[in-house]
């Protein structure tokens, strides 16, 4: 069943090996969520033991939840605020410089529409890929099979059911592209937020 899950085929999560893998992940996540704020090295070690071995060590504010951990691959300079949930029954890949707001759900898990198959506990997963320099606002939900392009910003509360291109602002339920990001956005931000004209 573990091989079927990793291949994106229908599988049953009650399989003994998968149950053991989820239990192992929950133990690590429990220790991470119960750690003290000053225990930064402990948190780093726990995340290193949990995530895909090729991951950089991210900064994640507890509490954090995931299914397996080993299917989550994270690039450089990753920040996630409180209450991030990643259901990683399929691979979830983040590029570099990804920022995530609070209460975000990233779900690769899917279930059949047919009730008999669903009641027989068959399920599947579709991979999610997030590019570089992506900002995901609070309370966003990212659904199975979605890819998010580089430099894209997703507004708070969006439900992302389809892939998004690079260099856009997107929001809504279902999430849709609102506009492209341009050099004018940087100029306007600097004019508004740096009235003295100096950027530290």
């Amino acid at each position: 069943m573990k091989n079927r899950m990793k291949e994106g085929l229908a599988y049953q999560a009650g399989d003994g090996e998968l149950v053991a893998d989820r239990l192992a992940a929950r133990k690590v996540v429990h220790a991470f969520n119960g750690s003290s704020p000053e225990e930064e090295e402990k948190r780093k070690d726990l995340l290193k033991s949990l995530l895909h071995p090729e991951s950089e060590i991210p900064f994640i504010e507890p509490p954090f939840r995931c299914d397996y951990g080993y299917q989550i691959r994270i690039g450089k300079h990753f920040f996630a605020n409180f209450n991030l949930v990643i259901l990683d029954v399929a691979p979830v890949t983040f590029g570099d410089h990804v920022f995530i707001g609070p209460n975000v759900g990233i779900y690769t898990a899917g279930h059949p529409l047919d009730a008999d198959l669903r009641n027989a506990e068959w399920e599947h997963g579709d991979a999610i890929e997030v590019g570089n320099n992506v900002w995901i606002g609070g309370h966003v939900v990212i659904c199975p099979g979605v890819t998010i392009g580089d430099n894209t910003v997703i507004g708070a509360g969006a439900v992302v059911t389809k892939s998004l291109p690079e260099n856009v602002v997107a929001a809504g339920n279902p999430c849709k592209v609102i506009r492209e990001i341009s050099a004018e956005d940087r100029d306007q931000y600097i004019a508004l937020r740096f009235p003295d004209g100096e950027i530290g």
Side-chain angles (χ1 to χ4, degrees), residues 90-187:
V92 179
T93 304
F94 299 95
D96 298 334
H97 305 284
V98 173
F99 298 163
I100 298 179
N103 300 304
V104 168
I106 299 174
Y107 310 142
T108 67
H111 300 270
L113 296 178
D114 180 81
D116 291 336
L117 290 171
R118 193 167 59 246
N119 293 338
E121 299 183 353
W122 289 104
E123 59 184 89
H124 63 275
D126 292 308
I128 291 173
E129 186 169 347
V130 179
N132 300 314
N133 306 310
V134 170
W135 169 248
I136 300 170
H139 291 270
V140 167
V141 171
I142 299 176
C143 294
V146 163
T147 295
I148 298 169
D150 292 349
N151 308 312
T152 283
V153 175
I154 302 174
V159 178
V160 186
T161 60
K162 295 182 179 179
S163 294
L164 297 172
E166 61 184 25
N167 298 308
V168 299
V169 177
N173 181 7
C175 186
K176 296 181 179 179
V177 173
I178 296 173
R179 65 178 179 85
E180 293 186 355
I181 296 173
S182 70
E184 291 180 0
D185 292 302
R186 175 183 170 85
D187 295 339

Side-chain angles (χ1 to χ4, degrees), residues 11 13 35 65 67-68 72 86 112 126 128 136 162 177 185:
Y11 72 96
S35 62
R65 298 282 189 274
D67 276 328
Y68 299 98
I72 303 171
I86 302 177
D126 292 308
I128 291 173
I136 300 170
K162 295 182 179 179
V177 173
D185 292 302

